[in-house]
């Protein structure tokens, strides 16, 4: 029999991509506890979802569990990190070095998960020319001339909402391939650009509303 | 005809709650542009969703648009902020004043949207007794004795993943009513506790994977 296995080009569904980091976090805890093998049932129990869902999600990853035994923890961690892209650096630039932007530059956790912020941009004169956590802050006008040097593919958007679309356009024109939008404004991007929204304010709205409901 | 209108106790669906802050952000931009009236079609066009969806979402809020005219911008901003709870302070304490925790304490944006962080907790000796942005950092053991004074209802979870469940239990036992989980670990809470997950790492996974797909 031929050994050739064609690489599957199945696109991993977004809900699966969102869940895989949960499994990874659990596996890393198991690793510190010196557990060497886990089953999908164990993972499912720890996370509170169906074991069949875990098995299905893991089927997108290039690893196979031994029936009745499970997955080797160390191996599954390695494969998941590789699959999710957490073990190699993805360069990003951040637009808006105000409150939230500065906070994200200071958050080393993102760096541990493969995001390397290489520069910040802001219009505020008192920020331009300074560094935050070793990251230089430039005027947005310098973005074009710096693009080649910086070689970033991800743009993080932490500007005021009324500047969100304008700055997104600058980032797209500048050749960035993905926009990570932290503003509450829904920006529009061309179809070939990856857009991920993380609206902390939407999450706050859900929390506040649920608390008020509970108070009724 | 009687004027009495019973207060609707319809629970606002979570997707609606997530979208309402988008409309609010757009309306605030319209306000700075001195636009006084907007239609749901305009809001929909700006955000890139169906006008019927906008109208349906806004039907949960206690405001009515004038047919063929639209909503008064200032009034709708006020009503939305009231409805979403952004215009009154909700006290929160934060567990884990490391990288991300510190970042959130420094982010004044959350404060503008109704979240008031009143204290931080961390086990690191070099952090205990210090203040970050005017917020005191305490040892978790002090949480019980401080609860009455702090009067917080929201607990923000920014500890390492392997401490996430343990600290969640402490927060729930301490009487907090909502947990905002920023760790990649899926914590479990009793049914009456509000849980909101914000996993930046899941969002990173989606971005990285989409970029890799685009490269194929």
């Amino acid at each position: 029999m031929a050994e050739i296995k064609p690489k599957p080009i199945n696109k991993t569904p977004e809900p699966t991509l969102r869940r895989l980091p949960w499994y990874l976090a659990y596996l890393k805890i198991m690793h510190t506890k010196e557990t060497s093998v886990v089953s999908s049932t164990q993972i499912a129990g720890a996370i509170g979802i169906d074991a069949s869902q875990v098995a299905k999600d893991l089927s997108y990853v290039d690893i196979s569990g031994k029936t009745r035994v499970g997955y080797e923890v160390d191996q599954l961690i390695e494969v998941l990190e590789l699959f999710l892209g957490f073990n190699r650096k993805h360069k990003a630039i951040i637009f808006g070095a105000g409150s939230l932007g500065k906070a994200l530059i200071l958050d080393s956790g993102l760096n541990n998960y493969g995001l390397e912020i290489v520069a910040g941009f802001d219009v505020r004169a008192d920020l331009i020319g300074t560094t935050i956590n070793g990251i230089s802050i430039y005027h947005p006008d310098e973005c074009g001339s710096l693009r080649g040097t910086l070689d970033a593919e991800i743009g993080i958007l932490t500007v005021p909402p009324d500047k969100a679309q304008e700055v997104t356009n600058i980032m797209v024109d500048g050749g960035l391939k993905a926009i990570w939008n932290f503003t509450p404004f829904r920006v529009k991007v061309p179809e070939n650009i990856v857009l991920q929204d993380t609206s902390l304010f939407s999450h706050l709205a859900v929390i506040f509303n649920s608390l008020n409901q509970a108070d009724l």
Side-chain angles (χ1 to χ4, degrees), chain A:
Chain A
M1 299 283 278
E3 286 269 311
I4 300 159
K5 261 203 324 202
K7 190 182 157 56
I9 49 160
N10 289 340
K11 203 168 175 280
T12 315
E14 206 171 299
T16 295
L17 286 171
R18 291 184 188 276
R19 283 188 294 263
L20 290 175
W22 307 351
Y23 308 159
L24 179 60
Y26 171 70
L27 290 162
K28 283 185 171 176
I29 294 171
M30 289 301 99
H31 171 79
T32 62
K33 290 186 178 165
E34 292 176 16
T35 305
S36 58
V37 176
V38 293
S39 64
S40 45
T41 314
Q42 270 178 289
I43 299 175
I47 286 164
I49 57 172
D50 260 19
S52 60
Q53 183 67 67
V54 174
K56 199 178 169 194
D57 286 342
L58 289 176
S59 75
Y60 287 96
V61 181
D62 190 18
I63 192 167
S64 40
K66 292 167 199 152
T67 320
R68 291 166 198 276
V69 183
Y71 304 95
E72 276 185 43
V73 172
D74 290 0
Q75 197 195 350
L76 188 49
I77 287 175
E78 203 184 314
V79 170
L80 275 176
E81 286 190 327
L82 188 72
F83 183 82
L84 294 169
F86 288 166
N87 59 351
R88 66 182 184 84
K89 291 283 174 258
H90 298 75
K91 289 188 182 176
I93 57 181
I94 191 161
F95 273 75
S99 175
L100 182 61
K102 190 179 167 189
L104 292 174
I105 292 173
L106 290 171
D107 180 14
S108 58
L110 295 173
N111 199 276
N112 294 335
Y113 279 78
L115 188 81
E116 184 188 5
I117 300 175
V118 293
F121 293 90
D122 205 292
V123 290
R124 277 177 52 187
D126 59 324
L127 289 175
I128 296 162
T130 67
T131 62
I132 300 170
N133 204 17
I135 309 300
S136 295
I137 309 301
Y138 304 95
H139 190 280
D141 285 351
E142 294 181 76
C143 180
S145 57
L146 282 166
R147 268 286 295 142
T149 323
L150 296 172
D151 193 29
E153 51 182 354
I154 300 168
I156 305 172
L157 190 65
T158 48
V159 297
D162 60 325
K163 302 285 176 223
Q165 187 60 58
E166 183 189 334
V167 171
T168 297
N169 296 346
I170 293 172
M171 293 203 277
V172 170
D173 290 345
L176 292 174
K177 291 171 188 162
I179 308 292
W180 193 2
N181 176 24
F182 281 85
T183 80
F185 188 77
R186 301 297 86 182
V187 297
K188 290 176 180 169
V189 297
E191 235 178 61
N192 59 327
I193 302 294
V194 176
L195 175 65
Q196 176 69 52
D197 291 306
T198 298
S199 176
L200 300 182
F201 311 115
S202 288
H203 291 182
L204 270 184
V206 174
I207 294 174
F208 293 166
N209 188 270
S210 306
L211 282 174
N212 290 341
Q213 289 285 336
D215 286 346
L216 291 179

